[in-house]
């Protein structure tokens, strides 16, 4: 699996939310104003298809796209990269970072303790 660019990931987030869609459905979901041109989004969608993230059903000249890779699969892939590259595969390093840098509330820290204790 390849890592997505920011633009590709933005488009995939929309497709995961829609489950199946046409290019115009993606454009409708984009918060950008003005909306990007149809051909631009169509090109990104074709790149995602080429990378194995999407498949499609053709209805004449209209293509309905749907994800081949689930959001959960991509989340796991990206987390493994971040975990390895930035935390040296150390859960202790990751949790320490979260507690110190993310300003977790006492309730969130307590919930983490419960999760750890139950596993």
């Amino acid at each position: 699996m390849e890592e997505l660019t920011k633009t590709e990931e933005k488009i995939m987030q929309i497709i995961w939310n829609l489950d199946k869609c046409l290019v115009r459905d993606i454009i409708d979901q984009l918060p950008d104003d003005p909306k990007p041109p149809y051909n631009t989004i169509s090109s990104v969608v074709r790149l995602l298809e080429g990378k194995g993230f999407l498949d499609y059903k053709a209805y004449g000249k209209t293509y309905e796209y749907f994800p081949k890779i689930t959001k959960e699969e991509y989340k796991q892939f990206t987390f493994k990269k971040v975990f390895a590259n930035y935390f040296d595969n150390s859960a202790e390093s990751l949790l320490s970072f979260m507690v110190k840098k993310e300003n977790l509330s006492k309730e969130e820290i307590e919930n983490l303790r419960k999760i750890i204790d139950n596993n």
Side-chain angles (χ1 to χ4, degrees):
M1 184 179 310
E2 286 185 58
E3 191 169 356
L4 298 176
T5 66
K6 287 181 182 184
T7 301
E8 290 168 341
E9 189 170 348
K10 185 177 180 180
I11 300 300
M12 276 307 299
Q13 291 288 347
I14 292 169
I15 295 169
W16 282 318
N17 287 335
L18 294 174
D19 194 43
K20 53 186 173 182
C21 59
L22 307 174
V23 171
R24 71 173 174 258
D25 298 326
I26 297 167
I27 294 169
D28 289 343
Q29 294 293 313
L30 288 168
D32 306 335
D33 201 19
K35 302 285 187 187
Y38 182 95
N39 288 342
T40 300
I41 301 306
S42 180
S43 294
V44 174
V45 168
R46 284 194 307 276
L47 286 170
L48 288 166
E49 181 197 344
K51 288 183 173 185
F53 280 82
L54 297 178
D55 206 348
Y56 65 90
K57 288 184 184 175
Y59 302 98
K61 293 183 179 182
T62 302
Y63 295 89
E64 180 183 59
Y65 294 94
F66 54 91
K68 283 177 67 176
I69 304 291
T70 67
K71 187 174 185 177
E72 186 64 30
E73 288 170 321
Y74 190 68
K75 183 185 346 178
Q76 193 170 22
F77 167 76
T78 56
F79 176 76
K80 284 181 181 180
K81 283 188 71 172
V82 168
F83 189 58
N85 293 337
Y86 295 97
F87 300 102
D88 300 321
N89 289 315
S90 166
E92 183 178 344
S93 178
L94 172 64
L95 285 173
S96 175
F97 174 83
M98 288 174 59
V99 170
K100 291 177 184 173
K101 303 294 183 189
E102 294 302 311
N103 298 319
L104 298 179
S105 69
K106 289 184 181 196
E107 182 181 334
E108 290 172 316
I109 293 170
E110 187 57 37
N111 288 339
L112 284 173
R113 281 190 182 119
K114 287 177 185 176
I115 291 168
I116 292 166
D117 290 343
N118 289 330
N119 286 317

